[in-house]
Amino acid sequence: MIIPALFQAIPQGVDYVRILPELVLSAFGIVVMVLDPVIEETDSHKTLGLIALAGAVAGLVSTWYMSGFPGLAFSNEVRVDTFSVYFHFLIIAIAAVIILSSFEYMAVQRIRAGEYYALVLFGTVGMVLMSSAVELVLIFIALEISSIATYILAGFRRNDASSSESSLKYFLLGSFATAFFLYGVALIFGATGSTNIDKITQTLQNRPAPVLLYVAMALMFVGLGFKVAAAPFHIWTPDVYEGAPAPVVGFMSTAPKAAAFAVLLRVVYVINAPGRFWFLWVAAALSMTLGNIGALVQTNVKRLLAYSSIAHAGYILVAFAMTTSENSSVGISAVMFYTAAYAAMNVGAFVVVSHFGNAGERYVTLEDYEGLGRTSPILAATLTLFLLSLIGIPITGGFFAKFYVFSAALKANLIWLTIIGVLNSAIGAYYYLRIIVVMYMREARTEIPVMRISAGLALALVISVFATLYLGILPNQVLKRAQQSAQDLLAQPAPDPESPAQPPVAVTQHY
Amino acid sequence: MSVHLILFLAFGAVAVAGAINLLAQTHPINSALSLIAVMAALAGEYLLLGAEFVAAVQVIVYAGAIMVLFVFVIMLLNAGVEERTKGSRVAILFGVPGMLLGSLLVTWVVLRYSGTEAVPAGALPGAPRTIGTLLFHEFLLPFEITSILILVAIMGAVVLASKPPTVAPGAPIRRVD
Amino acid sequence: MVPLSYYLVLSGVLFACGVTGFLIKRNIITIFMSIELMLNGVNLSFVAFAAHWHALAGQVFVFFVMVVAAAESAVGLAIIIAVFRSRETLNVDQVNLLKL
Amino acid sequence: MNGAMNIDNLSPYILTLVTFAPLVGALLLTVLPRRDREIRIISLIFSLLTFFLSLHLPVHFHRSLSGFQYEINEAWISSPNIHYHMGVDGISMWLVVLTTFLTPLCVLISWKSIHDRVKEFFILLLILETALIGVFTSLDLFLFYFFWEATLIPMALLIGVFGHERKVYAAVKFFMYTMIASTFMLAAILWLYAHTGTFDFVVIRDQIARGTVPNFPAAAQWLFLGFFIAFAVKVPLFPFHTWLPDAHVEAPTAGSVLLAGVLLKMGTYGMLRFNLGLFPEQARSNAPWIMTLALIGIIYGALVAMVQPNMKKLIAYSSVSHLGFVVLGIFSFTQLGLNGAMFVMLAHGVSTGGLFMLAGILHERRHTYEIREFGGLASITPVYATSYLFIVLASVGLPLMNGFIGEFLVLSGAFHARPIYGILGATGVIWSACYLLWMYQRVFYGKVTNPINNSMGDMLGVEKAAVWPCAAMALVMGVAPILWLGAIDPAVHATLNPIAQMLSKVVGQ
Amino acid sequence: MTANLNLWLIPVLPLAGATINGFLGKKSSRTAVSTVGLFFPGAAFVWAVVVVFRAWDGLPYQEYFAHWIRSGSFTADFAFYLDQLSLVMLLVVTGVGFLIHIYSVGYMWEDPSYYRFFTYLNLFMFFMLTLILGNNYLMMFIGWEGVGLASYLLIGFWITKDSAASAGKKAFIVNRIGDFGFLIGLFLIIEHFGSLDFTKVFAQVQPLVPESSAGLLTTIGILLMVGACGKSAQIPLYVWLPDAMEGPTPVSALIHAATMVTAGVYMVSRSHVIFERAPIALTVVAIIGTLTALFAATIGITQTDIKKVLAYSTVSQLGYMFMACGVGAFSAGIFHLMTHAFFKGLLFLAAGSVIHAVGGEQDMRKMGGLRTYIPWTFLTMGIATLAISGIPPFAGFWSKDEILWNAYQNNWVYWLIGVITAFITSFYMFRLLFMTFFGDYHGAHVDEHGHGTHGHDGHGHGEPHESPWVMLGPLVVLAVLSTMGGLVGIRNGFEHFLDPVFGSGVAEASSEGASRSMEFALMGVSVLFAFLGLVLAYVLYVSKPYLPQKIADALGGFYNAVVNKYYVDEFYAKIFVKPLVDGSTSILWQGIDRKVIDDSINDAADGARRVSDEVRHMQSGNLRSYAGWVAAGAACVIAWMIWLGVGLGAGK
């Protein structure tokens, strides 16, 4: 009796298509992991890197394939729609670029590559799953996969005390925050009797939100706020980013954040989290202000970019503070677009930083960047483009993203938040400008060795530059996707006919 | 006062006492032992709630496996008595009051709003079999994906705990023009 | 018969103890233990709610939490070992290379 | 009312061509090897090409019509509703031509003076040109803001990379001032979009005029101020002007020329196009204090210019003074005043551009702008002295030179608005003579006080080629302003007319 | 309507000369430069004469060329207007101008920047003729400012001389102050009459009744007078003219005596329609004119620089002309303008000849006894002196008499001051003559001056010597004109000629009948005073040369004040220039710009940096602190959410 029941419950083929990217990435991750001890270390950088890259590309292809099969899978735990496809694409693309840029980094830093690439791929699995999961349990596990992978990645520069410190801080605080998140999940479960987002939504539809739900939301905000580095939970960011390897920072400042934003979007808009407005408002304002102000006097480029990532989280949060549903749709697409634009420019920036850092990441202070405009004009120009995008100067994705977010905010009549935001973006311009200033307007005091740009890094840069410019000049396609996603997300969740909904307490009949 | 309540209070008392002892002890081994006590007491609470499987796992996995790992590491690193360094005013000035405020508020909300209806002892029998069915039905994907999690953890442990390469990263690489 | 709220309060107290431990303990391993304590507190809530809602999903959740905790502890202890290697200390107040 | 009609089917792409031709040049330069001579020549070719392309505009312009011409309106981004909408009227057309006119001269004046990072310099210069032209041709507020912000970086880099001793301070100051101010404009633009659903200037203007924008009356004053602050800093209007002297002193010559010649006009153009175009009532009600600030700028700028020991700073402060005239004219709400303001913009671009080039020539030889370093140059470098005097006279506002026409019109307009404005503004004619002639005397007259100067060479061929067109243009504009005013007048009339209509409506109620 | 006169040729010809010399002169020979420089003004003069004959019956005549400014309904075009008034001016300017050009060939021959001089001089002619011929105020303003420019360039002609440059700048700036008034007057005209065309404006003014109190026309009139004060060196803006003597002497003759400085008189006369309807403005004009005449004359007494004496005399004579205008006798003013052009031009040229003769010396105390060395110069200068002193039958007599008569009819005070001034004029002019040409030569015979820096002539001087004929020729012609020029005024012939312009105004009506004898009596008085001046000068400077010093000592402080030109320059420097410069430096630039604006911005930036440093310290690096922040943040969020939840929960 059990066996047939089991078979009955085993998911159908289409279910697997709906997690195909995850499967593909995991498979490649395992291949990398298995091959690692087999291959000579000298070869492993290239070979394993290429396999990982192939995995990421395959992940992109499978995402494309998956996009043809929208719907729910695995007992309504995974939802494939434009929204999740968008984040799949984004996160896997980030991973691909990071892998590309890591070829050189791994070799220069003499880091064993096998685990690194496998961890990137596995981490990516967690992140993409976060974006498509609609079951809090699954979200939690996916979140942990992505978090643990990044904790480890942060500690990969093993000879450097700061790297392990970064890893430790990230790990302890991350777990601390995860506990809050988990507590929130528990209280949601307590408040609604379910952990499936769609069901929670249905449950909450026609009755006032219980007080417990407010507490639950508060705790979830703490956890997710930590993951996206929103003030006042941003505090770990500078230390961790400073110590972690540069490409990893590029990765973890964008991909897990994108995933966390995806979760936050689901939590905020699908569950229609009560009482969120002022929290998000304050968090947005605080993040922007603290991030920008903190960055003003930084001299370490990685740390500076860490503060900037706090500020950018703030800009993204501005778009969260929409209340009515028509504004929500703009807000959601603004978040999504901003995430993509931020990914393009920030990954690019960290790729350049990792290259300039040289062995042991020796050259990461502003002083080291003096005169780079002359010694390494192409990289300096590229970094300038990314920095301009971070400032929000036209023709870059950063500009349009900011523009879009603020236009959404004004549409929702968030006038003060918009003003705080635009003023912040003006102040923020100062510290990005400082990097440009030292690169171009100062002469090098000591000669800093600059490596030749390797092919992988060059390709990574080209992709980042292209993406930054594409999002700035022709944002239409991406915007359309984001807007479609917003529609999908906001549409009331309907049970997928292919996998019949089961009551959450199905097993209780045994009792 | 039913037996049920007495048992609840007893286990609860042990758990809280263990937790406080964890904080109070200065040697990590003592803290670890206190934590084991907490976990054991919680396993008792789980049993009261009918969660047999969970209670068992709590003892085997948590108290057994995980805490052993802790103790092992404590011994490995030869961790001694904690120094009472003054590293953080913030934690004391903001953190602890914040924690107190938060937990008081949550307690108040829980007492006031979560309903006072009693949970009968063994209200929901969580036998391993039913749990297993659930795991392979509804929670198949999380269950499977957990393997990835464990894979990651293993790899991480291997990478981080192994001795770092003795070869430091090479000297700065110069532009080859 | 024990009211649900009792369980929840106990769970909250354990969670709070965990938080306090994180705040006041200096030994990294103990701090990590405090996190485990927080997780345990949450677990109790899950089980209590599961009983309250007659939903076994809560118990399954606890199972997953334990797995995650196990994985975390593996990684966490490895990290602690790595830190100890480079810093020769387990005092968290002395792990402050990265600041400002 | 709606002036937007496509009247010239032959040239819908001309604006795109003109705007992006320099960018194409810049892109071409990026892939070229670092051979300075070729880079200079190619930049010159592209800037000249742009200039000749832009001449298409005035040549085929229908002067009797007041609306936008050479329009192109393509959807760019569907949501938000952003269009690639370009067009020029008699106001913006001349500013485009001014830009394309000055850029080749900038290339020429930089021919010898830039020897380091030549490639970067000309790339930035050409990018800047594209952005500047874009500002004047955009009719979509998003597009406008896009180009508006795009001017910042090339300019800041030109100052910061190719400037003099305190270049970094100046570049950052310039950047931050304008950046912070323009965020207010961004907020205003976004508000308009949120309430009208479009960025199209013409559509928004008509909606506002018809009163169909929700919540507009409550917000109008703030919107007006949002735009105004951005423009006022750019102009720069007292008391937002202190970035200008620093930026000018440190900037390389070509940077100063474009900064004073065109960049500042972005502010006044913005006031004319947006503050007046979109918010006529607010513009009118705010006019008194704005005109007062403009007056303070005129007098204050001139007085401070008078006592500057540094030639470039002096010219910079004179720009503050001259731009005060423009603002005064714009907010006088008279046909005369607005025509004059437009004309001052153009004239100032030409003559101050020329002055900066001349100052640059001096710096090229002596690496200083300090006036006391010089003296008696007239006997050493007669051609230079004569060219300098010519441009000085244009700037002083001698009749038959370009400066006079604009100032006269502005002042008579201001006088009409309120006599005291005209009177106080007219003191500017005294001040400008004071500071410029005094400076000229100290630099050129008397005996050669500094023996080093005896070995100074007179103007070189490229320098003549850069400065003399300015001089010639200054004269032509003074003698035949009708060539310009013919197109400006109807456009100004159209800008003013909605105001007049609206006023009569108000009075009628 | 007359046939097309091609009036445009008259200004454009000198412009062509200026252009050709300006571009090509540097590389051309002096002869070529002189040819060009003389031909074009000469041609202009010829054409002007032709125009006189062709236009005689067709006045007023207008000629339109092109649009200049069109803005809305306001237009100002390139157009010329010719009537009897401009005709007179045309002839004076081209005629005297041409003579001075000829003279300059000799005077400037040795100058290294010979071509530049002719360029500027021709340029001046262009602007002056534009000023005269313009048919609207704006065209007039072109010329008005243009002559200012030419004046600036020519005063500072010797570019290595600092004083010259300062003088040029001063002239320009003081003129600008006048122009400021002029411009505002124009704005008022535009404002109320919508045009600047003479014909259109005057047609609208014509029907207005004279204002009994200060009104629009009065305001316009006074503002125009401010402009005239600047250009024609009247109180309080006369200060630039004496300094302008730094320029080469032909320039002083042409610009600062004969033509440019009279532009103010021309402008006021041109605007007579306005002034006649604004009696208060007229009174202002008269008072300014009268006071200037007296004031400048007194300074003239004590000056020792030959050109400065002439400069103050010019200021004084211009005062006469304004006095004439102020009493409504515009034609008398113009008449004096014309005769003044003759004799003052002559005086300057002769003075130039003297300076030329003594090697650049301008101090009269170092001259003396020159009549034997330079007889022609002495002769012509003597004639001019007689003319300016108002001794019949020389030109000055007729015009000055005309003015005084008209002044007397208006108010005897004007007349009285006028006569006193005439006396002083006569005195200092003869003083000049006597000091220069009589007594013994005090100058050094060796060459001390004139080389390099002064650059006048450059050739050495042993003895004072007579100038070449190219210089003496114009002297002689002007001497003839100074002698005979006044005769056109006999029987009011000149006034009648101008009647079409000014109408048969005051002069005509009152010169009838009974007052005829009065006129003669007054004439006698003034001539008597002129002779008194002559005699006094003779006594003091020829027969008893020790007396002046005694008198000076006796007068003490007052004398010093007069010698120092009443300290007006110092006064202006102290009251206007210095506070302006110091205030701009310390209050505006260093104060407001640096201290207030920049410092507050920098303070804001520093503040941001300090805040940033504070924010940075949140990042203490201590893990437990971080957890503390997170916990505190979490507590806030929880508290807030519970507050919300409870509030909402209670509501439902």
Side-chain angles (χ1 to χ4, degrees), chain C residues 37-53:
Chain C
L37 188 57
M38 290 162 75
L39 293 182
N40 271 288
V42 177
N43 281 352
L44 183 58
S45 287
F46 266 118
V47 177
F49 280 128
H52 173 71
W53 287 104

Side-chain angles (χ1 to χ4, degrees), chain D residues 209-211 281 500-509:
Chain D
R210 280 199 304 274
E281 287 172 69
Q501 286 172 1
M502 216 159 291
L503 278 188
S504 65
K505 203 168 68 188
V506 172
V507 172
Q509 292 161 353

